[in-house]
Amino acid sequence: MAKHSVQQEEAYYGKVAAGKLFPLWKMPPQQPEPKPRAVPYVWRWDSVVELLDEAGRMDHTIDQGGERRALIMINPGFEGPFAGTTPSIAAAMQMIKPGEVANAHRHSMAAIRFILRGSGATTVVNGEKVTMEEGDLVLTPQMVWHDHTNPMAQDLYWLDALDAPLVFYLNANFYNFYYEDVQPETVPENHTADTLGGGLLRNQYAPPRERSLSLIYKWKDTYAALHSATEAEGSPFDGTIFEYTNPLDAGHTLPGMSCFIQRLRPGEHTEAHRHTTSVVYHAYQGQGSIIINGQRLDWARGDTFVVPSWAWHEHVNGSYSEEAVLFSVSDLPVIEAMDLYKVEEGSRQEVAGVIEGSR
Ligand SMILES: [Fe+2]
Ligand SMILES: [Fe+2]
């Protein structure tokens, strides 16, 4: 084979690049298992809320106050304004002040919001009003009109999660504003939930029209489910855990994301496992730790943290008298749709250090 000079090689790679090509032999070697760019990380309640409140005092920096006063949690392993908390999910903390309206709009990204502080604000989704209280989970599936109003006297905080990074990556996002700030209410309040009979009975005269439902899962029902399960019905890796399912087909919460609620009994310390889903957790009640790949992360109520794909993790309730409740959202529906779901079960890990930002 003829030897080529350095100049000839350079010229060759120049022609390849000019042809908008990339030589596969220059790619870094393939890894035998996932090596996520996402890293474990925690966003503290106090720090995020302090920054949201400051934004609330200087609203001239924000074009659409109520609609846009959200701080997206960017995983330190990613970069740029379109980066998310995990590869496919962007979680954010949002605050709406008394009297504010988040203008009606719709987009191809699906969103969930989990209400953290403040009750009595309302959301209208495709003409249907629901009243949001602490611990409620509200869905706005893709392309449904939604606006939020806070008629109460106190600020309202919620955790948002959108499948935005994935939808942007797929170049599939549409985004429109409604021609008025607030859409008219065209169906009775709680219409969707009322025609579903709690998922067990379905109104045959007025059945839901689409699989993606504008649902609200009330905290009182979630709480009752969490406490109806016996210890024996718990998972060795997650404690008592429930998925928020779609009542029409018992499938995942939304096509691109699924949500979970889990309860760790006082003193509970689970075994470790790892899976190919990436998970954003929010500590809704209590205090505890998660051990991720041998590194401990201590959390308290209001903290949000992320567990990357294929990272070993186990949960610890840090209290011997109080239970702990974790809300979480993951990319399980996407991973399953691509037949990529894999889980490995292990046992408790040795703790070799703490994760940056641990309390
Ligand atoms: Fe939205
Ligand atoms: Fe897990």
Side-chain angles (χ1 to χ4, degrees):
M1 207 181 300
K3 277 233 175 223
H4 294 95
S5 67
V6 174
Q7 288 83 350
Q8 280 172 316
E9 280 208 6
E10 277 177 5
Y12 171 76
Y13 286 119
K15 285 187 283 183
V16 168
K20 301 295 170 212
L21 297 165
F22 189 88
L24 183 59
W25 62 88
K26 288 282 186 185
M27 289 276 278
Q30 291 294 316
Q31 300 291 329
E33 58 180 40
K35 294 271 182 250
R37 276 197 302 130
V39 297
Y41 195 75
V42 60
W43 292 265
R44 299 293 177 198
W45 171 260
D46 295 348
S47 342
V48 180
V49 162
E50 203 177 300
L51 290 169
L52 272 180
D53 291 348
E54 196 172 332
R57 292 191 297 272
M58 44 186 269
D59 267 347
H60 55 280
T61 58
I62 305 170
D63 289 341
Q64 301 119 353
E67 186 211 321
R68 285 288 173 99
R69 196 184 303 104
L71 291 171
I72 306 164
M73 301 183 217
I74 308 283
N75 192 294
F78 303 154
E79 284 164 7
F82 293 108
T85 319
T86 73
S88 72
I89 294 173
M93 198 89 86
Q94 180 155 2
M95 187 265 273
I96 295 207
K97 294 197 287 191
E100 259 181 351
V101 172
N103 292 4
H105 64 282
R106 65 179 185 180
H107 35 71
S108 313
M109 305 167 287
I112 62 105
R113 49 190 53 82
F114 186 67
I115 312 304
L116 302 175
R117 302 282 194 284
S119 289
T122 57
T123 283
V124 182
V125 185
N126 269 359
E128 176 180 344
K129 184 163 102 176
V130 294
T131 300
M132 303 181 286
E133 297 169 296
E134 283 180 20
D136 290 351
L137 174 69
V138 183
L139 307 186
T140 49
Q142 62 109 356
M143 286 317 257
V144 299
W145 294 109
H146 52 287
D147 53 73
H148 320 291
T149 304
N150 183 5
M152 309 305 281
Q154 81 273 41
D155 296 337
L156 178 77
Y157 298 88
W158 66 59
L159 179 80
D160 266 335
L162 286 84
D163 49 16
L166 182 62
V167 177
F168 288 140
Y169 186 75
L170 297 172
N171 293 182
N173 194 47
F174 292 84
Y175 196 115
N176 317 115
F177 284 103
Y178 198 70
Y179 58 90
E180 286 171 349
D181 284 355
V182 177
Q183 61 182 305
E185 287 173 44
T186 52
V187 287
E189 191 166 342
N190 292 322
H191 172 75
T192 302
D194 292 346
T195 53
L196 285 170
L200 297 173
L201 294 164
R202 193 180 311 161
N203 185 320
Q204 279 300 285
Y205 181 66
R209 291 145 293 172
E210 284 145 11
R211 192 262 173 202
S212 289
L213 299 168
S214 310
L215 279 178
I216 181 165
Y217 300 79
K218 298 301 290 179
W219 174 247
K220 67 173 171 39
D221 301 329
T222 307
Y223 183 88
L226 274 182
H227 289 83
S228 66
T230 65
E231 198 164 350
E233 291 163 334
S235 146
F237 308 98
D238 283 307
T240 301
I241 183 161
F242 282 87
E243 183 174 15
Y244 293 85
T245 56
N246 181 304
L248 292 185
D249 60 6
H252 300 305
T253 318
L254 286 164
M257 298 180 284
S258 213
C259 299
F260 305 83
I261 192 86
Q262 75 192 83
R263 170 184 173 224
L264 301 169
R265 289 177 165 75
E268 184 161 3
H269 184 162
T270 71
E271 303 299 320
H273 72 172
R274 60 178 176 173
H275 36 69
T276 46
T277 51
S278 309
V279 188
V280 180
Y281 285 93
H282 180 85
Y284 186 60
Q285 282 180 9
Q287 48 154 308
S289 311
I290 182 165
I291 299 154
I292 307 173
N293 284 342
Q295 307 279 310
R296 203 185 74 235
L297 187 164
D298 296 328
W299 51 259
R301 178 174 181 244
D303 294 345
T304 305
F305 52 93
V306 61
V307 178
S309 165
W310 211 234
W312 288 107
H313 55 283
E314 71 201 61
H315 297 283
V316 186
N317 181 344
S319 166
Y320 284 92
S321 55
E322 306 288 327
E323 64 179 23
V325 176
L326 294 171
F327 171 83
S328 60
V329 53
S330 90
D331 50 9
L332 180 62
V334 178
I335 293 287
E336 268 188 5
M338 298 184 73
D339 230 349
L340 294 172
Y341 188 69
K342 187 174 164 66
V343 60
E344 192 175 346
E345 298 179 344
S347 51
R348 290 182 192 171
Q349 310 155 78
E350 294 243 341
V351 179
V354 293
I355 287 170
E356 186 196 343
S358 204
R359 280 181 192 269

Short mmCIF file of all heavy atoms in Angstrom, two decimals, residues 142-164:
data_model
loop_
_atom_site.label_atom_id
_atom_site.label_comp_id
_atom_site.label_asym_id
_atom_site.label_seq_id
_atom_site.Cartn_x
_atom_site.Cartn_y
_atom_site.Cartn_z
N GLN A 142 -49.31 17.08 24.77
CA GLN A 142 -48.88 17.88 23.63
C GLN A 142 -50.05 18.60 22.95
O GLN A 142 -51.12 18.05 22.78
CB GLN A 142 -48.13 16.98 22.62
CG GLN A 142 -48.94 15.86 22.02
CD GLN A 142 -49.26 16.11 20.56
OE1 GLN A 142 -48.94 17.15 20.01
NE2 GLN A 142 -49.93 15.15 19.93
N MET A 143 -49.82 19.87 22.60
CA MET A 143 -50.73 20.71 21.84
C MET A 143 -52.09 20.97 22.48
O MET A 143 -53.07 21.23 21.78
CB MET A 143 -50.92 20.16 20.41
CG MET A 143 -49.73 20.37 19.50
SD MET A 143 -48.95 22.01 19.60
CE MET A 143 -49.57 22.80 18.13
N VAL A 144 -52.18 20.92 23.79
CA VAL A 144 -53.42 21.37 24.42
C VAL A 144 -53.20 22.81 24.91
O VAL A 144 -52.12 23.16 25.39
CB VAL A 144 -53.87 20.48 25.61
CG1 VAL A 144 -54.14 19.07 25.13
CG2 VAL A 144 -52.86 20.47 26.75
N TRP A 145 -54.22 23.65 24.73
CA TRP A 145 -54.13 25.03 25.22
C TRP A 145 -54.09 25.00 26.75
O TRP A 145 -54.85 24.26 27.37
CB TRP A 145 -55.36 25.84 24.78
CG TRP A 145 -55.46 26.05 23.30
CD1 TRP A 145 -56.35 25.48 22.45
CD2 TRP A 145 -54.63 26.91 22.50
NE1 TRP A 145 -56.14 25.92 21.16
CE2 TRP A 145 -55.08 26.80 21.16
CE3 TRP A 145 -53.54 27.74 22.78
CZ2 TRP A 145 -54.50 27.50 20.11
CZ3 TRP A 145 -52.96 28.44 21.72
CH2 TRP A 145 -53.43 28.32 20.41
N HIS A 146 -53.20 25.80 27.33
CA HIS A 146 -53.18 25.86 28.80
C HIS A 146 -52.81 27.26 29.27
O HIS A 146 -51.99 27.94 28.66
CB HIS A 146 -52.24 24.81 29.40
CG HIS A 146 -50.85 24.79 28.86
ND1 HIS A 146 -50.54 24.32 27.62
CD2 HIS A 146 -49.66 25.17 29.40
CE1 HIS A 146 -49.24 24.41 27.41
NE2 HIS A 146 -48.67 24.95 28.48
N ASP A 147 -53.49 27.69 30.33
CA ASP A 147 -53.13 28.93 31.01
C ASP A 147 -53.36 28.73 32.50
O ASP A 147 -54.12 27.86 32.91
CB ASP A 147 -53.94 30.12 30.47
CG ASP A 147 -55.44 29.89 30.49
OD1 ASP A 147 -56.03 29.92 31.59
OD2 ASP A 147 -56.03 29.68 29.42
N HIS A 148 -52.64 29.50 33.29
CA HIS A 148 -52.69 29.34 34.74
C HIS A 148 -52.98 30.70 35.38
O HIS A 148 -52.44 31.71 34.95
CB HIS A 148 -51.36 28.82 35.29
CG HIS A 148 -50.72 27.77 34.44
ND1 HIS A 148 -51.25 26.51 34.29
CD2 HIS A 148 -49.61 27.79 33.66
CE1 HIS A 148 -50.48 25.81 33.47
NE2 HIS A 148 -49.49 26.57 33.07
N THR A 149 -53.78 30.71 36.42
CA THR A 149 -54.12 31.94 37.12
C THR A 149 -53.95 31.71 38.61
O THR A 149 -54.36 30.67 39.13
CB THR A 149 -55.61 32.30 36.83
OG1 THR A 149 -55.77 32.39 35.41
CG2 THR A 149 -55.98 33.63 37.46
N ASN A 150 -53.35 32.70 39.27
CA ASN A 150 -53.20 32.60 40.73
C ASN A 150 -54.06 33.67 41.40
O ASN A 150 -53.62 34.80 41.58
CB ASN A 150 -51.73 32.77 41.14
CG ASN A 150 -51.54 32.60 42.64
OD1 ASN A 150 -52.49 32.26 43.35
ND2 ASN A 150 -50.33 32.82 43.12
N PRO A 151 -55.30 33.35 41.77
CA PRO A 151 -56.17 34.35 42.38
C PRO A 151 -55.95 34.46 43.90
O PRO A 151 -56.63 35.24 44.57
CB PRO A 151 -57.58 33.81 42.09
CG PRO A 151 -57.39 32.32 42.07
CD PRO A 151 -55.97 32.04 41.67
N MET A 152 -55.02 33.67 44.44
CA MET A 152 -54.84 33.62 45.88
C MET A 152 -53.89 34.72 46.36
O MET A 152 -53.31 35.44 45.56
CB MET A 152 -54.31 32.24 46.30
CG MET A 152 -55.11 31.09 45.74
SD MET A 152 -56.87 31.19 46.12
CE MET A 152 -56.87 30.60 47.81
N ALA A 153 -53.72 34.79 47.68
CA ALA A 153 -52.91 35.87 48.26
C ALA A 153 -51.43 35.48 48.39
O ALA A 153 -50.60 36.32 48.70
CB ALA A 153 -53.48 36.26 49.62
N GLN A 154 -51.11 34.21 48.17
CA GLN A 154 -49.70 33.81 48.33
C GLN A 154 -49.11 33.30 47.02
O GLN A 154 -49.84 32.91 46.11
CB GLN A 154 -49.53 32.77 49.46
CG GLN A 154 -49.84 31.34 49.10
CD GLN A 154 -51.31 30.98 49.28
OE1 GLN A 154 -52.21 31.75 48.96
NE2 GLN A 154 -51.56 29.77 49.77
N ASP A 155 -47.77 33.31 46.96
CA ASP A 155 -47.07 32.82 45.77
C ASP A 155 -47.34 31.32 45.61
O ASP A 155 -47.55 30.61 46.58
CB ASP A 155 -45.55 33.03 45.91
CG ASP A 155 -45.19 34.51 45.98
OD1 ASP A 155 -45.99 35.34 45.50
OD2 ASP A 155 -44.12 34.81 46.54
N LEU A 156 -47.30 30.89 44.36
CA LEU A 156 -47.50 29.47 44.06
C LEU A 156 -46.22 28.95 43.42
O LEU A 156 -45.67 29.59 42.52
CB LEU A 156 -48.67 29.34 43.09
CG LEU A 156 -49.00 27.93 42.62
CD1 LEU A 156 -49.75 27.18 43.71
CD2 LEU A 156 -49.86 27.96 41.36
N TYR A 157 -45.73 27.82 43.90
CA TYR A 157 -44.52 27.21 43.34
C TYR A 157 -44.86 25.81 42.84
O TYR A 157 -45.59 25.08 43.52
CB TYR A 157 -43.43 27.06 44.41
CG TYR A 157 -42.96 28.36 45.00
CD1 TYR A 157 -43.62 28.92 46.10
CD2 TYR A 157 -41.86 29.03 44.47
CE1 TYR A 157 -43.19 30.12 46.63
CE2 TYR A 157 -41.43 30.22 45.00
CZ TYR A 157 -42.09 30.77 46.08
OH TYR A 157 -41.68 31.96 46.62
N TRP A 158 -44.33 25.48 41.68
CA TRP A 158 -44.49 24.10 41.23
C TRP A 158 -43.23 23.61 40.54
O TRP A 158 -42.37 24.39 40.13
CB TRP A 158 -45.71 23.92 40.34
CG TRP A 158 -45.70 24.60 39.01
CD1 TRP A 158 -44.80 24.43 38.00
CD2 TRP A 158 -46.69 25.53 38.53
NE1 TRP A 158 -45.16 25.20 36.93
CE2 TRP A 158 -46.31 25.87 37.22
CE3 TRP A 158 -47.85 26.08 39.06
CZ2 TRP A 158 -47.05 26.77 36.44
CZ3 TRP A 158 -48.58 26.95 38.29
CH2 TRP A 158 -48.19 27.30 37.01
N LEU A 159 -43.13 22.30 40.41
CA LEU A 159 -42.07 21.66 39.63
C LEU A 159 -42.67 21.34 38.27
O LEU A 159 -43.72 20.70 38.19
CB LEU A 159 -41.61 20.37 40.32
CG LEU A 159 -40.52 19.61 39.57
CD1 LEU A 159 -39.15 20.24 39.84
CD2 LEU A 159 -40.50 18.14 39.99
N ASP A 160 -42.02 21.83 37.23
CA ASP A 160 -42.40 21.54 35.85
C ASP A 160 -41.49 20.45 35.30
O ASP A 160 -40.32 20.43 35.65
CB ASP A 160 -42.00 22.75 34.96
CG ASP A 160 -43.08 23.74 34.74
OD1 ASP A 160 -44.24 23.38 34.83
OD2 ASP A 160 -42.72 24.90 34.47
N ALA A 161 -41.99 19.63 34.42
CA ALA A 161 -41.08 18.81 33.63
C ALA A 161 -41.65 18.71 32.23
O ALA A 161 -42.86 18.48 32.05
CB ALA A 161 -40.90 17.43 34.24
N LEU A 162 -40.81 18.95 31.24
CA LEU A 162 -41.22 18.88 29.84
C LEU A 162 -40.29 17.92 29.11
O LEU A 162 -39.10 17.84 29.45
CB LEU A 162 -41.14 20.26 29.17
CG LEU A 162 -42.23 21.27 29.53
CD1 LEU A 162 -41.87 22.00 30.81
CD2 LEU A 162 -42.46 22.26 28.42
N ASP A 163 -40.83 17.26 28.08
CA ASP A 163 -39.96 16.40 27.26
C ASP A 163 -39.27 17.25 26.19
O ASP A 163 -39.00 16.78 25.08
CB ASP A 163 -40.74 15.23 26.67
CG ASP A 163 -42.04 15.65 26.00
OD1 ASP A 163 -42.21 16.85 25.72
OD2 ASP A 163 -42.91 14.77 25.78
N ALA A 164 -38.97 18.50 26.53
CA ALA A 164 -38.46 19.49 25.58
C ALA A 164 -37.16 19.07 24.88
O ALA A 164 -37.08 19.18 23.65
CB ALA A 164 -38.28 20.82 26.29
#
